[in-house]
Amino acid sequence: MASPLPVPHDTPDPDFADLLARRPHLKAHALDGLVMDDVPLAQIARQVGTPTWVYSAATLRRRYGTLRDALEGAGLTASVHFAAKANDSLAVLRVLGAEGAGADVVSEGELLAARAAGIPARRIVFSGVGKTEREIALALREGILQINAESAEEIERISSVADAMGLTAPVSLRINPDVDARTHAKISTGLAENKFGIPYTDAPALYARMASLPGIRPVGLAVHIGSQITEGMAGFRAAYARVAEMAQALMGRGLPVERLDCGGGLGISYRDEAPPSPAALAGAIKATLGPLGLPVMLEPGRWIAAPAGVLLASVVLQKRGANRRFVILDAAMNDLVRPAMYEAWHGILPVAPDALHAPASPADVVGPVCETGDTFARGRALPDLPPGALVAFLDAGAYGATMSSTYNARPLAAEVLVDGHRWAVTRPRQPLEALLAHQVVPDWLGTTA
């Protein structure tokens, strides 16, 4: 399995001061080193070990509130449904649910997690292209807000399941607007070539078909054009304009349209990107969909959760190659796969106070997995980092723990929530024994000598 390495950039990387200045929940303390809110990260590492994911509850609340206020400030009747695929930690979901957030789920497991975290079913949306009959039935029994249907075949399946249960499914039709979000190809979802949604020209007939089927109540339209969108509002505006046009056409035919799901996708600044603000997104929704007077929904994940989290790791050793310095960590691509999968850039900060101000030189930051792709950064300016030194990967609160695996028989990392001066382990480190606990050797294979 060969994975692409992080791509080089034409501009210098931000230095440690720049990275900290844009992340108010992180501070460099003269004695404690890197601190999240009021908790030294070194303290967590000493007690929990590494690798460990650490999330800031205050940052989750602040970013959710900023998005909610932007929508309200634009005069929109809107609800926010956190994309659980970004971070399905029960603690994270509980923090956001307590603030009023709903959830956008794409599997039975995510639906159960949202409910276990206390998010009411009436605030849950079920998206995704491959819902099973079992998942549809669970969604109907729970009484969720809506199911976003993504194909003609799925519409027939929802009708069959709901009718057999004697229930009515609230269904929104996800359209594919064929709009380029100008993001990474692997997280683009709004082009005609992508697997998501109904072709735009097929939507009117399918929506009318939904209205005629037993067990289905059409409630509106949904759209989502991709993730980590940073290049202005053009893609959003184009997609929402197509949704508005379609909604008007459907209502003109006497078909019911109760609400519009705008999806997610608003990007963040991992390195030096300048993504649009929540206010700009709210303005685009207001300009394109506002005249319809319908409630709207958003499904953000990364924008809320990514900046709230870090991945703590320890240096195993430094290795001097012929021409390079390698910093080898106890975290690997099985923990944080984004650099290997998406060529993603994450800020890396030393945790010790002296290391934050020590002279730096280029280093390749790698993990111990037996893959060349197990590389987090190349030529990154870092100080000398002896064995045991701690580093923090920034903006790791989304698509970090949820995408991790046990590749190379490496246990899943621990998770911690920080809330002011308090902190707690919210998922203990997976014991090594758990990797084998659920495996069975057929009896005909006998035993080893």
Side-chain angles (χ1 to χ4, degrees):
M1 173 183 168
S3 300
L5 297 178
V7 295
H9 296 271
D10 295 331
T11 57
D13 289 333
D15 61 23
F16 295 163
D18 291 333
L19 291 172
L20 284 169
R22 290 194 285 177
R23 291 159 180 85
H25 59 299
L26 296 173
K27 300 180 290 292
H29 192 276
L31 296 178
D32 293 325
L34 197 60
V35 174
M36 176 180 281
D37 296 329
D38 298 322
V39 178
L41 292 176
Q43 177 186 344
I44 294 174
R46 282 194 300 271
Q47 297 188 38
V48 182
T50 57
T52 293
W53 307 94
V54 187
Y55 310 121
S56 163
T59 302
L60 293 167
R61 295 185 186 106
R62 181 174 66 251
R63 294 184 72 84
Y64 171 79
T66 297
L67 185 56
R68 177 198 59 212
D69 293 348
L71 295 167
E72 292 179 357
L76 295 166
T77 300
S79 57
V80 176
H81 306 262
F82 176 70
K85 61 181 175 287
N87 191 317
D88 60 11
S89 160
L90 294 185
V92 167
L93 295 174
R94 177 68 63 86
V95 167
L96 293 171
E99 294 298 298
D104 167 54
V105 304
V106 295
S107 71
E108 178 181 4
E110 287 184 358
L111 174 53
L112 292 175
R115 296 292 289 120
I119 296 177
R122 67 180 181 277
R123 299 207 306 249
I124 296 177
V125 179
F126 204 133
S127 303
V129 300
K131 307 176 198 72
T132 65
E133 290 186 1
R134 173 188 169 111
E135 288 174 323
I136 293 167
L138 174 64
L140 295 175
R141 285 196 302 272
E142 289 289 323
I144 70 168
L145 176 64
Q146 71 184 42
I147 299 172
N148 288 346
E150 303 216 18
S151 67
E153 295 80 0
E154 185 179 54
I155 290 168
E156 300 293 333
R157 170 175 285 182
I158 295 170
S159 172
S160 175
V161 171
D163 191 43
M165 295 176 69
L167 298 173
T168 299
V171 180
S172 181
L173 187 65
R174 177 173 174 177
I175 61 173
N176 185 317
D178 196 20
V179 167
D180 187 357
R182 298 184 61 80
T183 187
H184 194 288
K186 292 183 180 179
I187 50 176
S188 173
T189 62
L191 290 169
E193 64 196 49
N194 299 141
K195 67 180 180 180
F196 301 95
I198 303 290
Y200 188 79
T201 54
D202 295 347
L206 281 174
Y207 202 89
R209 171 70 176 157
M210 281 203 309
S212 70
L213 286 173
I216 287 186
R217 176 169 63 89
V219 296
L221 298 172
V223 69
H224 178 67
I225 59 173
S227 185
Q228 184 53 10
I229 299 170
T230 60
E231 295 194 20
M233 297 308 304
F236 288 117
R237 285 179 174 270
Y240 298 157
R242 301 212 81 186
V243 170
E245 178 184 51
M246 182 64 65
Q248 288 176 317
L250 295 174
M251 290 188 290
R253 294 173 57 179
L255 294 167
V257 179
E258 298 177 18
R259 52 185 176 262
L260 301 172
D261 188 337
C262 299
L266 190 62
I268 69 163
S269 179
Y270 285 100
R271 184 175 181 269
D272 55 6
E273 303 92 334
S277 67
L281 179 62
I285 295 172
K286 178 70 172 179
T288 52
L289 301 176
L292 298 176
L294 296 172
V296 297
M297 306 156 61
L298 276 185
E299 298 166 359
R302 183 192 317 270
W303 195 89
I304 290 175
V310 302
L311 173 62
L312 283 181
S314 297
V315 175
V316 176
L317 56 85
Q318 291 188 104
K319 174 182 174 178
R320 299 286 175 176
N323 301 302
R324 315 184 76 84
R325 171 169 67 114
F326 294 95
V327 175
I328 304 174
L329 305 177
D330 62 355
M333 63 185 288
N334 72 290
D335 299 301
L336 180 62
V337 74
R338 296 189 69 255
M341 181 176 287
Y342 301 130
E343 305 87 49
W345 194 98
H346 283 266
I348 303 173
L349 289 178
V351 173
D354 55 344
L356 283 164
H357 305 286
S361 62
D364 290 2
V365 183
V366 302
V369 158
C370 291
E371 299 268 358
T372 302
D374 187 23
T375 299
F376 295 114
R378 301 182 69 179
R380 192 68 63 88
L382 291 169
D384 181 59
L385 293 168
L390 295 171
V391 298
F393 288 88
L394 305 182
D395 306 313
Y399 305 105
T402 53
M403 296 180 74
S404 59
S405 73
T406 57
Y407 184 47
N408 276 196
R410 293 170 48 80
L412 297 175
E415 292 184 76
V416 166
L417 183 74
V418 169
D419 197 352
H421 67 278
R422 299 173 298 180
W423 66 275
V425 175
T426 56
R427 184 180 72 176
R429 188 174 314 284
Q430 187 180 32
L432 279 166
E433 296 78 13
L435 297 175
L436 305 178
H438 302 294
Q439 298 192 45
V440 177
V441 178
D443 56 9
W444 69 78
L445 294 178
T447 59
T448 59

